[in-house]
Amino acid sequence: MRPLIAAIDLSAIRHNYAVAKRCAPGREAFAVVKANAYGHGVREVVSVLHGESDGFAVACLEEAAEVRALDDQTRILLLEGCFEAVEYQLAAQLGLDVVVQGSEQVAALLAAPLSRPLNVWLKLDSGMHRLGFGEDELRHCHARLRGTPQVAELNLISHFACADLRGHELNERQLESFLGLLELDFDRRSLANSAAILTMPAAHMDWVRPGIMLYGASPFADISAHELGLKPAMSLSAKLIAVREVPMGESVGYGATWEAARPSRIGTVSCGYADGYPRHAPSGTPVIVNGQRVPLAGRVSMDMLAVDLTDLPSAVVGDPVELWGAQLPVDELAAACGTIGYELLTKVTARVPRRYLA
């Protein structure tokens, strides 16, 4: 079997959910499990949080149906709402909480013959300008939906654009926009994502929505997950499958972008961009071999990557390699690659076997 595995510590996910709850005492929390629980496996994550999570949040109806099959009681929030009119009937059958973020969705909801009313979350575009109503339009929609037979709870939701940038002026403006609507008769309110849960108590409201923090990554560039009390959930591990001597002046990898500045030992690792490792990772990106850091050498291939073992002369074929995990935080790798931990975790492909640790 090809030596590459994503080991997922489910106890870390349970721990990180508890951190979110401690940061927002007295609030309820939707565990965000969209995109296959950020690549960690939605079935396993929902199962480990069963009985602990107040609810789950997903992106689409298909994801909601999968979660409902695993938990027939919990609240499930459909973050982008329904994309077709018929989906409102399915959402009612599944007992979902549904975001309504545009006039077309309002019209489809009011026209839908539902088996039971839905918990509706009106989305305010408080400044991100991606989804949602402006303040005046939201007030109008509130008046249209309050008391209609299709609606059980009528709730308010919005999303921060810059909560990961502490002190950014847009955070305060978005919070003020949200608070400016609270004189309306809403049953529940939700605003805080992971970054706001950790650093903006004024944004906690009734429900918070921990996402990336559940999986042990930090939403901040300047604060590590460890400093936030979070535990990494996924470790991506491989092995050295070849070691060779490369003379000074010889190149390694596609495009010959890395050249040996000295007589070098080059190791080949059983992981590439088809597995989800970032193809654009630059030479020098850290990789852990036998518990020690070594630099990436040359371009990442589809199924392999190369590392410079010159300063680790004891390394041999079969030695363990960590691409990210407990020894190398995914956020550090992401920073080296000019991206974010969210992308790396969700890009681990189905060809990589998952091993779950309780």
Side-chain angles (χ1 to χ4, degrees), residues 38-62:
Y38 290 49
H40 292 71
V42 67
R43 292 181 176 274
E44 290 76 13
V45 171
V46 170
S47 296
V48 79
L49 291 178
H50 179 76
E52 296 191 30
S53 175
D54 303 309
F56 296 98
V58 297
C60 60
L61 193 67
E62 294 83 356

Side-chain angles (χ1 to χ4, degrees), residues 9 21 52 67 70-72 125 132 138 145 152 160 185 190 194 205 214-215 273 282 309 326 333 339-340 348 355:
D9 183 353
K21 291 285 285 186
E52 296 191 30
V67 175
L70 298 165
D71 191 325
D72 62 359
D125 180 4
L138 190 137
L145 293 176
F160 281 112
D185 180 22
S190 180
S194 291
M205 307 301 163
L214 280 183
Y215 308 102
Y273 63 77
L309 299 173
L333 173 61
T339 184
I340 55 176
V348 178
R355 182 180 70 213

